[in-house]
Amino acid sequence: MRRRPGIGGLQTAAAARDQYRLLGENVAKLRTDLMKEQLATFRSQLEDFARKHKNEIRKNPTFRSQFHEMCAKVGVDPLASNKGFWAELLGIGDFYYELGVQIVDICLATRAHNGGLINLQELCKLLRPRRKSDRELVSEDDCFRAISKLKVLGSGFEVISVGKKKLVRSVPTELNKDHNQILELAQAQGFVTVDEVERRLSWTSGRAIDALDTLLDDGLAMIDDGHRDGKRRYWFPCVSSITSVLADS
Amino acid sequence: MQRLGDFKLPAFFNYPPYFTLQPVRETREKQVQLWKELILDYCRTQKIFVIGLEEEFPLFSNLVIERSLSNEAREAFLSALVSEGRAEWLDKGHRKCLILWHRIQDWADLILSFVKENGLEDSVMTVEEIRSGIESRGTELQGMDRTVLMRALKVLENKGKLAIFKGTSADDEGVKFSI
């Protein structure tokens, strides 16, 4: 287009720009509408699905965890609120709130014994007898979700990974890398010795003793001087399964 | 679950560190608490009144995990019971300990209800009869430790519920109830 001189030329150019912008906006709006429509369809289908498989979602932990994954992908959080469609349909909010309360309960009851660190597996085992009444199975994934909701309370509830195991922490102690490595080592037998820590992790004696002392002070470890070989053993209740029976008593 | 005769042992009994006195205060408090409960429970069900620190006592060792309590630990657990009024040292050296799963006052109350249930309000009995007579068979008084019994009777005597007197035979005493 040949550029015409004068004020008229400028005005035409501005008008053309406006036209382009409008057209562009329209296209964008159209796309968003389409997207919104698609998402709405998806949501309603998800709701249909949830309605249809309501019982399975409630009863079957694997199914439940897959359903959660699906929800997360479309930005639906069935746990976000206790009101509204999801809660009414599935009662799923209550399910996790109740679970959360039971988890807090168990963590407190076993804290004196394990120093506020408990094996997730162990926790599930302890939950089972408490939930006998409603016969709904609880998976580790459910506990995980319930605990992540507890985080909002700022009470320091958290799931941490140590080696292959997942541990639930209910005290605000920070475990550093050294402590983690010791806990990982302890998973094999339930205990470690200073020698073993030095040898397996190639640490100096001071480093091992220092880390073990901290774990002891935090109530995460217990000493055992009773073995025949005379070597002090450091036991970690959070990685052995004695807790279960203790909490019953 | 491991058993001692008909007694069910708690799970902590199989966890080795519970046999070593824990250095950290909170951990130790929990440990002492568990042992106190275990000792009282065991003594109540087995009707054991006296524990000798240096003698064989089934709870002091666990052969399965090859652990036993040090003398220091034994004394610590029993001392914790003593400070709660659930036990008393019988000697200055703390070698023998009287376990009171019922406090003396509770024993006295048990004797009172025993007397009432059997219509013995104005009767005379020997101390031995209270422990091993027909009336006490099947009650908690059966086989009761003599020291504990005498202490409970003294409590009742001070309240004027009975009088203790020397019997005809030198080794037994009589009790005249007046409730």
Side-chain angles (χ1 to χ4, degrees), chain A residues 112-113 216-217 222-228 235-237 240 242 245, chain B residues 1 11-12 15-18 20-24 27 30 34 66-67:
Chain A
H113 169 67
L216 206 59
D217 282 341
M222 291 177 84
I223 55 161
D224 164 28
D225 292 334
H227 194 269
R228 250 184 285 127
W235 289 80
F236 296 88
S240 29
I242 185 207
V245 214
Chain B
M1 182 144 324
F12 85 83
Y15 200 57
Y18 277 100
T20 302
L21 264 184
Q22 294 302 309
V24 177
T27 320
K30 172 77 179 173
L34 287 167
E66 298 183 330
R67 293 292 185 281

Side-chain angles (χ1 to χ4, degrees), chain B residues 65-123:
Chain B
I65 56 166
E66 298 183 330
R67 293 292 185 281
S68 50
L69 289 176
S70 64
N71 270 347
E72 192 196 356
R74 294 173 194 198
E75 193 173 333
F77 301 149
L78 291 173
S79 290
L81 283 174
V82 170
S83 68
E84 274 178 18
R86 305 315 296 259
E88 280 170 23
W89 292 114
L90 291 172
D91 58 337
K92 273 200 184 132
H94 291 190
R95 299 291 88 169
K96 272 191 179 307
C97 192
L98 185 68
I99 308 295
L100 299 166
W101 64 84
H102 292 312
R103 290 163 217 270
I104 297 289
Q105 182 56 50
D106 300 336
W107 280 114
D109 292 343
L110 278 170
I111 294 170
L112 274 189
S113 52
F114 163 79
V115 169
K116 283 178 190 156
E117 271 165 33
N118 290 284
L120 298 166
E121 280 93 337
D122 304 305
S123 312

